[in-house]
Amino acid sequence: MEYPKQNLIKILLIVNLGISTCAAIGVGYVVYKQSTSPNFSELRPKGKGQMFPRNGQFQPGQDQTGQSQSNQAQ
């Protein structure tokens, strides 16, 4: 009876080690991704009411290349 208990404990320890390893890899991945992504709170302009243009929107007077329309007329 003692022998199956020892095998069960060994199996559970191996499973626990595998789960712990996967959790450590997952946490490391999340930390890595957060460290490489920009911190948007630091990029925010200091003045009141200033906002970044949304993705896909252009400033008035600019075409998709980013050149102003007055430069294209020259």
Side-chain angles (χ1 to χ4, degrees):
M1 191 68 177
E2 193 66 28
Y3 186 70
K5 253 188 187 175
Q6 287 180 348
N7 279 345
L8 180 63
I9 290 173
K10 286 181 184 179
I11 291 171
L12 290 175
L13 285 173
I14 292 171
V15 169
N16 190 9
L17 180 64
I19 291 171
S20 300
T21 303
C22 290
I25 291 171
V27 169
Y29 176 76
V30 169
V31 169
Y32 170 75
K33 289 302 268 186
Q34 285 184 343
S35 69
T36 58
S37 66
N39 188 354
F40 292 110
S41 64
E42 293 175 359
L43 297 176
R44 184 168 293 150
K46 302 294 183 211
K48 245 186 175 182
Q50 295 176 338
M51 294 183 69
F52 289 116
R54 295 176 189 226
N55 287 342
Q57 294 182 350
F58 301 100
Q59 296 290 331
Q62 289 184 343
D63 64 0
Q64 289 186 355
T65 61
Q67 298 173 344
S68 68
Q69 292 172 352
S70 62
N71 288 345
Q72 289 180 345
Q74 293 177 346

